[in-house]
Amino acid sequence: MYTIKDLYDLNHTLAKDYLSQFTYPWEALKGIKDFILELGPTLGNDYEEKEEGVWVHKTAKVFPSAYLGAPCIIGPNTEVRHGAFIRGSALVGADCVVGNSVELKNVILFDHVQTPHYNYVGDSILGYFSHMGAGSITSNVKSDKKLVVVHNGTEKIETGIKKFGAMLGDYVEVGCNAVCNPGTVIGRYSSVYPTSCVRGVIPENCIFKNSGVIIERKDD
């Protein structure tokens, strides 16, 4: 439930071939910067290199006060709104929203991802049509600075990395002011209640409630 194949439809990202090399999504985090630097010069005439290492699709809208740090790629029809801070190593797909005061660092955002208001997303991968509510963040370093371990019930998966925010599967909804602690993995079509403190693996088609209770989503 936490492999790349479990979480993502790779047809909705320019990182398809890159991610296909790995079994677990966090294995891709270390190489995002180098991958973007290799991909950028191959993108063709639909993209403009605004400055060294910063490629923006001609249909994207980047507001004047947004900061785009190298290397990064901004996809077609994406909006990067006022005050957004892209620190670098960010691949942002098509039809995305990077909103006001949002900070991105070492991330892959699939197509149609929305991070519209006051979000911090670091060392994370956000799947197709995933959405982070206002003020929700990915916490990417443990308070004790130890290597991140993914907890799946009683199972503990050693990642071997210090910086690891969250892996959101396709169509995941994260509620306002929720915190995804280091090593969070949320399966496809799952939702997180607002103000939740999330940790570990949340299966697909589930709802994570404030108390940490996880229930299966049922069709109306």
Side-chain angles (χ1 to χ4, degrees), residues 188-220:
R188 296 183 189 189
Y189 296 98
S190 286
S191 299
V192 171
Y193 268 24
T195 73
S196 296
C197 186
V198 190
R199 188 183 304 276
V201 177
I202 312 302
E204 64 181 34
N205 291 302
C206 287
I207 300 173
F208 183 96
K209 296 191 172 185
N210 290 349
S211 59
V213 173
I214 300 172
I215 64 172
E216 186 176 355
R217 183 187 298 280
K218 295 182 180 180
D219 295 331
D220 295 331

Side-chain angles (χ1 to χ4, degrees), residues 135-156:
S136 61
I137 67 168
T138 65
S139 174
N140 61 334
V141 179
K142 296 175 63 177
S143 59
D144 60 10
K145 307 301 186 290
K146 292 183 179 180
L147 301 181
V148 175
V149 177
V150 175
H151 294 267
N152 181 28
T154 59
E155 182 184 12
K156 296 180 180 180

Side-chain angles (χ1 to χ4, degrees), residues 25-30 106 123 140-142 145-150 157-165 167 182-183:
W26 53 85
E27 295 174 325
L29 293 176
K30 289 183 178 180
N106 200 48
D123 300 284
N140 61 334
V141 179
K142 296 175 63 177
K145 307 301 186 290
K146 292 183 179 180
L147 301 181
V148 175
V149 177
V150 175
I157 305 113
E158 302 283 349
T159 68
I161 54 178
K162 182 180 176 181
K163 295 186 177 182
F164 169 1
M167 303 292 142

Side-chain angles (χ1 to χ4, degrees), residues 170-190:
D170 297 338
Y171 296 97
V172 163
E173 289 280 343
V174 177
C176 295
N177 291 319
V179 176
C180 296
N181 284 285
T184 295
V185 181
I186 305 177
R188 296 183 189 189
Y189 296 98
S190 286

